[in-house]
């Protein structure tokens, strides 16, 4: 099954705006039913979800925004960007839309870290998460293998590297992280670049990249939240991703009790655009299994040396392989 795309030009006309802490944020909402919050990755934007947008909106109230510094939202130059603030933004958007019921989350890459923060807030009582599905992302900093450009953006040369980053740079980097047969077309690359470069967004990449050290600071709190079994989780992963592919799934299975994981062997870092029909299928299977979920009453914290701990009320542990 091939899912219909939404051209970027059309996508942009369907957006709405709200103000978060003095900054204009572009967001999209469609459908009816349980709220499903989609969280995009770095350095792209919510258009990443365009293949899944229409099929998901037939079942759920689907919500997404371009996070602060991304896509068509404001990109303040001297801002200190933070994953915690991006989580605040998601909660502000839900408040703006008057969402009062538990929220399902589907996240990718940078959005995975925002989802981890929301998951921790769920455990602390300041957010109500119904389920969480992760796509490729650096869930565990010790297993993350950053690209050279990411390392350079984090270095003292970061400001200069960001200003030099262009559409050809994006093409080179994406060629390394997508599957061999699922790379974006020239037209898709043009659209990705349009979102990154809007309002000179490439000039703040060195500021946005601060999420990598921030993950290290928050690591214990976030992993602890994932180990508690309060919220059903699934990790759908493009195994060909050199940054957070198969090796990230292996680490997930070491640390998360009764892990529910799906590997797609020939797909890279953007499974929602490389193999959207498979992602949709695996996500719908996950949501069907979530129906009878009951959280664990108590879960002992799992450490690197104790990978086998399970709890009685979690979703059954699975690892699958799928071909495109």
């Amino acid at each position: 099954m091939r899912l219909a795309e939404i051209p970027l030009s059309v996508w942009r006309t369907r957006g709405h705006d709200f103000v978060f802490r003095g900054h204009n944020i572009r967001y999209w909402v469609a459908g009816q039913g349980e709220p499903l919050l989609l969280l995009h990755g770095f350095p792209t934007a919510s258009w990443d979800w365009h293949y899944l947008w229409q099929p998901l909106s037939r079942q759920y109230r689907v919500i997404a925004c371009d996070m602060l510094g991304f896509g068509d939202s404001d990109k303040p130059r001297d801002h200190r960007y933070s994953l915690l603030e991006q989580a605040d933004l998601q909660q502000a958007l839900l408040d703006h839309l008057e969402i009062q019921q538990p929220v399902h989350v589907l996240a990718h890459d940078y959005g995975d870290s925002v989802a981890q923060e929301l998951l921790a807030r769920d455990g602390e009582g300041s957010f109500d998460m119904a389920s969480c599905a992760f796509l490729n992302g650096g869930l565990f900093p010790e297993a993350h293998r950053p690209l050279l450009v990411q390392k350079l953006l984090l270095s003292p040369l970061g400001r200069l590297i960001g200003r030099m980053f262009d559409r050809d740079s994006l093409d080179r980097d994406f060629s390394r992280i997508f599957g061999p047969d699922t790379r974006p077309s020239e037209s898709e690359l043009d659209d990705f670049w349009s979102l990154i470069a809007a309002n000179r967004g490439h000039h703040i990449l060195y500021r946005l990249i601060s999420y990598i050290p921030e993950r290290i600071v928050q690591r214990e709190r976030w992993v602890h939240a994932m180990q508690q079994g309060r919220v059903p989780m699934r990790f759908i992963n493009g195994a060909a991703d050199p940054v957070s592919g198969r090796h990230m799934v292996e680490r997930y299975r070491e640390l998360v009790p009764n892990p529910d994981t799906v590997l797609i062997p020939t797909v890279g870092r953007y499974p929602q655009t490389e193999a959207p029909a498979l992602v949709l299928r695996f996500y719908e299977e996950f949501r069907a299994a979530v129906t009878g979920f009951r959280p664990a009453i108590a879960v002992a914290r799992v450490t690197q040396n104790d990978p086998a701990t399970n709890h009685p009320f979690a979703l059954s542990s699975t690892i699958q392989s799928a071909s495109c």
Side-chain angles (χ1 to χ4, degrees):
M1 175 179 66
R2 183 170 180 81
L3 301 183
E5 66 176 318
I6 302 176
L8 179 58
S9 58
V10 174
W11 176 260
R12 280 174 153 156
T13 66
R14 297 178 182 177
H16 309 274
D17 298 287
F18 87 110
V19 176
F20 171 72
R21 297 178 182 172
H23 303 295
N24 192 69
I25 301 297
R26 194 72 170 163
Y27 74 92
W28 290 258
V29 61
Q32 301 292 327
E34 295 178 280
L36 171 58
L37 184 64
L38 306 181
L39 304 177
H40 68 77
F42 173 92
T44 47
S46 290
W47 184 69
D48 295 355
W49 302 107
H50 70 96
Y51 283 110
L52 299 178
W53 189 257
Q54 290 177 324
L56 288 173
S57 67
R58 296 188 192 108
Q59 303 178 67
Y60 314 112
R61 188 178 186 192
V62 186
I63 302 158
C65 73
D66 289 349
M67 286 186 255
L68 186 64
F70 293 85
D72 290 332
S73 289
D74 280 354
K75 299 173 177 177
R77 290 289 176 270
D78 298 322
H79 192 74
R80 185 174 181 177
Y81 291 91
S82 166
L83 293 164
L84 304 188
E85 183 182 43
Q86 303 287 16
D88 292 344
L89 166 58
Q90 302 302 327
Q91 291 188 269
L93 175 58
L94 295 170
D95 288 343
H96 174 73
L97 295 172
E98 299 182 342
I99 303 295
Q100 298 180 343
Q101 63 197 108
V103 176
H104 297 269
V105 176
L106 174 57
H108 171 240
D109 186 66
Y110 182 95
D112 282 0
S113 298
V114 179
Q116 286 176 295
E117 172 59 25
L118 292 174
L119 184 65
R121 294 182 186 188
D122 175 88
E124 295 160 358
S126 59
F127 186 72
D128 196 356
M129 185 180 290
S131 72
C132 188
F134 302 104
L135 302 183
N136 293 57
L139 294 170
F140 311 106
E142 66 273 18
H144 182 245
R145 300 172 183 172
L147 296 173
L148 176 60
V149 67
Q150 293 175 304
K151 295 177 181 178
L152 290 172
L153 284 169
L154 280 168
S155 77
L157 296 174
R159 188 188 190 103
L160 176 62
I161 296 299
R163 288 181 175 272
M164 294 174 58
F165 194 82
D166 58 15
R167 199 270 194 193
D168 289 339
S169 306
L170 181 69
D171 190 1
R172 287 194 299 272
D173 290 332
F174 270 24
S175 71
R176 298 183 179 99
I177 63 174
F178 277 67
D181 301 316
T182 53
R183 290 192 65 245
S185 67
E186 293 299 313
S187 175
E188 287 174 314
L189 282 168
D190 287 341
D191 289 340
F192 282 132
W193 176 245
S194 172
L195 289 161
I196 295 167
N199 196 23
R200 297 183 181 179
H202 51 305
H203 289 189
I204 63 165
L205 290 177
Y206 78 102
R207 290 189 175 275
L208 292 173
I209 202 71
S210 63
Y211 75 90
I212 291 180
E214 188 177 7
R215 281 173 171 169
I216 298 172
V217 173
Q218 297 295 332
R219 192 255 185 209
E220 292 304 313
R221 177 167 163 267
W222 289 352
V223 174
H224 178 69
M226 295 174 73
Q227 293 172 333
Q228 296 311 292
R230 291 176 50 88
V231 174
M233 300 183 302
R234 169 168 278 192
F235 189 13
I236 303 170
N237 184 275
D241 171 18
V243 179
S244 298
R246 184 183 298 271
H247 59 283
M248 192 64 69
V249 171
E250 292 171 353
R251 187 62 173 150
Y252 187 97
R253 290 177 61 80
E254 289 175 353
L255 293 174
V256 175
N258 206 20
D260 180 0
T261 62
V262 179
L263 275 171
I264 310 177
T266 60
V267 166
R269 189 165 185 79
Y270 276 71
Q272 73 272 42
T273 66
E274 297 179 64
L278 283 175
V279 172
L280 179 64
R281 182 181 120 203
F282 292 132
Y283 183 71
E284 289 177 337
E285 288 177 355
F286 168 66
R287 287 296 300 271
V290 163
T291 303
F293 178 83
R294 294 292 181 274
I297 297 172
V299 180
R301 188 168 185 179
V302 180
T303 67
Q304 181 176 354
N305 297 322
D306 184 21
T309 302
N310 292 320
H311 57 79
F313 300 110
L315 296 172
S316 59
S317 174
T318 62
I319 185 163
Q320 306 177 40
S321 292
S323 62
C324 297

